């Protein structure tokens, strides 16, 4: 049976900057949006000298190693330190994305996928000028299995130059290579396994602490944020002792993680991987010699269900499973493991991790998340009430009639497709956003909650629909990259919406309170008022938007 909810996915250089000749032309390359151009600028880091350039109004340094090799004997372990280099290392082009399924990532002129992918990118208005700019560190999306910090709409040049901030993105291990847990099978040498991809991100934050002052940033004012899978990673970092103190504010966009993998389930996944390679638990050490492409093939096979246990459609395959119906990873998935050490407890279950009690949080999701997930399923956008009920039943089971009745009551004048989008958005993203915001708001630090309402006019092939306020349509908007063609489309009010959203995020990075020129003040979120900023070309505050539906889901969770 077909799964009805399948997913588809000029500036100041500073007195100490060293201006060099323009970058040499590469005859084979036409200009591109995120190209780094001359004059070149050199800086000295803790590990060696770098040569960067200019891009989208800022200085750009790309493909910088923040840790050592994680292949071979270093697989499934915490990343080793960077090996210092001599001479001047070119940092004008992106480094390799993590090993992942073909056809993902979307950085411009990125090199091939690589197991050794621990590189980061920095954009800044100036270097070595004594600046104390807020640092905005972005975790890319793609769940825990795909994506890249080099995606072109995540280019930080315009954000850095417009708001006088430093922007950092990074690549890190993904999928099986990032989250295979061998702690129960491989002994002490694999004690950090299951969370090695997250430890990569921690290593990047340590690099920021050591080096970002050279790039005009303040290591004492770091904002970590991420969209989709990047939001899940941000949740995880908030509960990791090794990340504590390395960042000071958090942002979660359309992706929350309450629990994570249990050691038992993660160990069972490891047994299946070994069996798929004709290895036993006693052969864990042999994994260092398996070709990386073969490990990726095993990962991809597992995501389709043949490693021994059937999947549960998108409930199992999606890294942010729905609440309240299902709240854990499924067989064949990859993600952080609550191992009691690297990740001592779940980030937001049964409550918000106390480790980040004093950390302000900016959190939200898009109004129409589901449109992106159904982009490859034109039939979804043609369904009537009967088709909606049939689809919903596969996911909701005995709760189907109650859910449909509720949405017929709260949205009586909309089509079955629109109700389907609203229901799927709630169970994929919306409900978890409320849970995390509610639980975090019980702590001392402020929470600010939003909903992205800007409607993209990006067409959905095979239908007369557009993405509307769909999943990931807000990434380019947040980075003030609305002019780079992507999911945000090119509709009216786009520049204004991007100015508002990027302004709110940059001001939050600076002060812990979001504000934007010409837009309303943003109230702190609590469970009494439930104030939510509705982000658009003209933003507005709404108290408990869609509150009746929120209350319904919360009561259903208690009843279940």
């Amino acid at each position: 049976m077909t799964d009805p909810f399948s997913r588809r996915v000029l500036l100041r250089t500073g007195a100490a900057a060293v201006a060099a000749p323009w970058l040499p032309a590469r005859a084979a390359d036409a200009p591109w949006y995120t190209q780094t151009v001359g004059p070149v600028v050199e800086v000295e880091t803790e590990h060696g000298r770098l040569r960067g350039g200019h891009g989208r109004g800022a200085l750009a340094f790309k493909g910088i190693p923040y840790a050592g090799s994680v292949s071979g004997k270093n697989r499934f372990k915490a990343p080793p330190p960077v090996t210092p280099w001599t001479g001047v290392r070119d940092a004008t082009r992106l480094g390799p994305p993590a090993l992942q399924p073909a056809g993902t990532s979307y950085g411009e002129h990125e090199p091939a996928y690589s197991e050794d992918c621990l590189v980061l990118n920095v954009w800044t208005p100036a270097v070595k000028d004594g600046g104390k700019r807020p640092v905005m560190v972005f975790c890319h999306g793609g769940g825990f299995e795909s994506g890249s910090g080099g995606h072109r709409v995540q280019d930080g040049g315009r954000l850095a130059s417009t708001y006088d901030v430093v922007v950092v993105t990074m690549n890190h291990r993904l999928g099986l290579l990032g989250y295979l847990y061998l702690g129960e099978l491989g002994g002490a040498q694999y004690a950090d396994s299951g969370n090695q991809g997250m430890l990569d991100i921690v290593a990047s934050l340590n690099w920021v602490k050591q080096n970002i002052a050279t790039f005009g940033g303040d290591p004492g004012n770091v904002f970590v944020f991420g969209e989709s899978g990047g939001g899940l990673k941000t949740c995880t970092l908030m509960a990791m002792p090794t990340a504590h103190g390395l960042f000071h504010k958090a942002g979660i966009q359309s992706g929350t993680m309450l629990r994570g993998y249990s050691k038992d389930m993660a160990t069972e996944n490891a047994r299946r991987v070994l069996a798929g390679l004709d290895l036993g638990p006693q052969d864990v050490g042999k994994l260092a010699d398996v070709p990386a492409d073969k490990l990726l093939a095993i990962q991809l096979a597992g995501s389709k269900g043949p490693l021994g246990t059937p999947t549960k459609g998108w409930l199992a395959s999606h890294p942010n499973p729905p609440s309240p119906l299902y709240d854990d990873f499924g067989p064949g998935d990859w993600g952080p493991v609550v191992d009691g050490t690297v990740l001592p407890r779940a980030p937001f279950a049964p409550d918000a991790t106390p480790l980040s009690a004093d950390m302000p949080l900016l959190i939200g999701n898009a109004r129409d998340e589901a449109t992106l997930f159904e982009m490859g399923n034109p039939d979804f956008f043609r369904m009537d009430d009967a088709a909606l009920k049939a689809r919903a039943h596969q996911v909701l089971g005995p709760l189907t009639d109650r859910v449909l009745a509720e949405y017929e009551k709260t949205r009586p004048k909309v089509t079955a497709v629109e109700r389907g989008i609203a229901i799927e958005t709630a169970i994929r993203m919306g409900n978890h956003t409320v849970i995390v915001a509610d639980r975090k708001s019980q702590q001392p630090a402020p929470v600010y909650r939003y909903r992205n309402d800007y409607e993209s006019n990006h067409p959905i092939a095979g239908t007369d629909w557009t993405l509307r306020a769909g999943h990931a349509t807000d990434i380019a908007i947040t980075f003030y990259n609305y002019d780079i063609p992507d999911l945000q489309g090119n509709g009216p009010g786009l520049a204004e919406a991007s100015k508002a959203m990027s302004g709110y995020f940059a001001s939050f990075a600076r002060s812990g309170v979001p504000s934007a020129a010409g837009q309303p003040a943003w109230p702190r979120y609590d469970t009494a008022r439930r104030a939510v900023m509705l982000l658009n070309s003209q933003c507005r505050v709404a108290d408990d938007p869609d509150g009746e539906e929120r209350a319904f889901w919360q009561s259903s969770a208690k009843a279940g």
Side-chain angles (χ1 to χ4, degrees):
M1 180 176 293
T2 301
D3 171 15
F5 293 111
S6 60
R7 73 180 159 144
R8 292 294 185 221
V9 267
L10 202 271
L11 63 131
R12 304 179 305 277
T13 59
V18 181
W22 288 85
L23 294 172
R26 294 176 170 95
D29 294 340
W32 62 93
Y33 284 99
T34 60
Q35 185 175 15
T36 305
V37 300
V40 299
V41 177
E42 293 186 8
V43 295
E44 188 76 42
T45 72
E46 291 289 322
H47 306 104
R49 197 161 185 83
L50 294 170
R51 179 189 298 113
H54 296 61
R56 294 185 66 79
L59 293 172
F61 299 84
K62 301 175 181 178
I64 307 169
Y66 65 81
S69 171
V70 288
S71 58
K73 62 182 178 60
N74 290 334
R75 277 182 182 162
F76 316 119
K77 299 176 183 178
V82 178
T83 301
W85 60 87
T86 58
V88 182
R89 184 184 181 98
D90 182 73
T92 62
R93 291 207 170 195
L94 297 169
L99 203 66
Q100 60 191 278
T104 58
S105 179
Y106 311 115
E108 292 184 295
H109 292 261
E110 276 187 314
Y113 307 132
S114 174
E115 185 174 1
D116 283 319
C117 60
L118 305 192
V119 295
L120 55 75
N121 313 301
V122 179
W123 295 267
T124 180
V127 297
K128 302 197 73 170
D129 66 340
K132 299 277 287 185
R133 299 173 180 84
V135 183
M136 302 179 68
V137 179
F138 185 74
C139 298
H140 69 73
F144 291 101
E145 298 179 22
S146 66
S148 166
H151 193 300
R152 69 180 191 169
V153 296
Q154 296 163 191
D155 184 284
R158 181 174 283 180
L159 192 62
S161 62
T162 302
Y163 298 104
D164 196 33
V165 299
V166 178
V167 181
V168 178
T169 66
M170 90 293 291
N171 294 340
H172 48 81
R173 283 173 285 183
L174 297 168
L176 186 156
L177 287 164
Y179 297 95
L180 180 67
Y181 177 62
L182 301 168
E184 300 292 305
L185 303 179
Q189 65 172 318
Y190 293 104
D192 294 329
S193 67
N195 292 298
Q196 57 269 31
M198 292 305 308
L199 289 171
D200 294 345
I201 301 176
V202 173
S204 76
L205 294 175
N206 273 305
W207 185 96
V208 167
K209 181 179 180 180
Q210 293 176 333
N211 293 279
I212 209 66
T214 296
F215 297 87
D218 181 0
N221 188 12
V222 177
F223 170 45
V224 171
F225 66 121
E227 190 273 343
S228 193
L232 307 179
K233 296 160 194 171
T234 302
C235 288
T236 307
L237 289 169
M238 294 173 75
M240 292 178 65
T242 53
H244 186 64
L246 297 177
F247 69 113
H248 314 92
K249 306 175 188 72
I252 300 169
Q253 299 176 258
S254 298
T256 56
M257 194 178 81
L258 301 186
R259 290 188 170 85
Y261 253 118
S262 69
K263 289 198 293 186
D264 288 346
M265 181 177 287
T267 298
E268 182 58 30
N269 262 4
R271 291 182 185 277
R272 292 176 186 157
V273 168
L274 289 166
L277 295 166
D278 293 322
L279 299 174
Q282 73 281 0
D283 299 318
V284 167
K286 294 181 181 180
L287 289 172
D289 301 319
V290 177
D293 288 345
K294 189 169 184 178
L295 293 174
L296 178 61
I298 288 287
Q299 172 190 319
L300 298 180
S303 69
K304 298 176 182 177
L307 288 183
T309 300
T311 63
K312 299 179 181 178
W314 70 267
L315 291 177
S317 66
H318 198 275
N320 184 30
S323 175
L325 305 172
Y326 190 85
D327 198 356
D328 210 340
F329 291 89
D333 293 336
W334 300 100
V337 178
V338 181
D339 63 351
T341 306
V342 175
L343 186 58
R345 55 152 284 168
F348 285 99
D351 56 6
T353 171
L355 195 63
S356 297
D358 295 327
M359 181 178 290
L361 174 65
L362 184 62
I363 182 171
N365 65 279
R367 188 193 64 204
D368 308 314
E369 300 275 4
T371 56
L372 182 76
F373 301 123
E374 299 297 346
M375 233 179 140
N377 182 18
D379 287 345
F380 178 91
F381 298 95
R382 293 190 281 266
M383 65 183 175
D384 56 15
D385 287 340
L388 172 61
K389 183 172 184 177
R391 291 173 179 274
H393 190 270
Q394 294 181 46
V395 174
L396 298 168
L399 195 58
T400 299
D401 289 342
R402 286 181 56 203
V403 171
L404 294 179
E406 176 66 26
Y407 277 77
E408 286 166 3
K409 179 177 66 173
T410 59
R411 301 171 188 253
K413 297 181 180 181
V414 306
T415 66
V417 174
E418 289 171 313
R419 287 198 299 275
I421 291 170
I423 292 168
E424 185 179 347
T425 293
I427 58 180
R428 275 191 185 265
M429 299 289 172
N431 293 339
H432 270 190
T433 299
V434 173
I435 291 170
V436 170
D438 285 1
R439 292 176 180 175
K440 186 71 174 73
S441 70
Q442 304 306 306
Q443 297 181 336
V447 173
Y448 297 92
R449 185 180 156 207
Y450 73 87
R451 189 181 73 192
N452 175 38
D453 279 9
Y454 179 77
E455 292 198 4
S456 168
N457 64 357
H458 189 289
I460 297 174
T463 79
D464 56 2
W465 279 74
T466 62
L467 282 176
R468 299 190 176 187
H471 187 70
T473 59
D474 58 337
I475 301 176
I477 294 173
T478 304
F479 276 81
Y480 210 18
N481 285 332
Y482 62 89
D483 60 314
I484 299 179
D486 203 70
L487 298 175
Q488 77 278 2
N490 59 0
L494 175 59
E496 293 81 3
S498 190
K499 182 179 180 180
M501 193 165 184
S502 60
Y504 277 128
F505 271 66
S507 62
F508 181 79
R510 187 175 304 279
S511 68
V513 178
S515 61
Q519 299 292 349
W522 192 328
R524 178 173 175 166
Y525 178 86
D526 58 46
T527 55
R529 179 181 173 185
R530 298 184 180 275
V532 178
M533 182 63 75
L534 306 183
L535 296 171
N536 212 320
S537 54
Q538 180 57 52
C539 306
R540 66 182 179 89
V541 177
D543 291 345
D544 201 13
D546 304 321
E548 187 175 340
E549 292 166 4
R550 172 199 56 77
F552 165 79
W553 288 110
Q554 289 183 326
S555 64
S556 298
K558 292 176 183 177

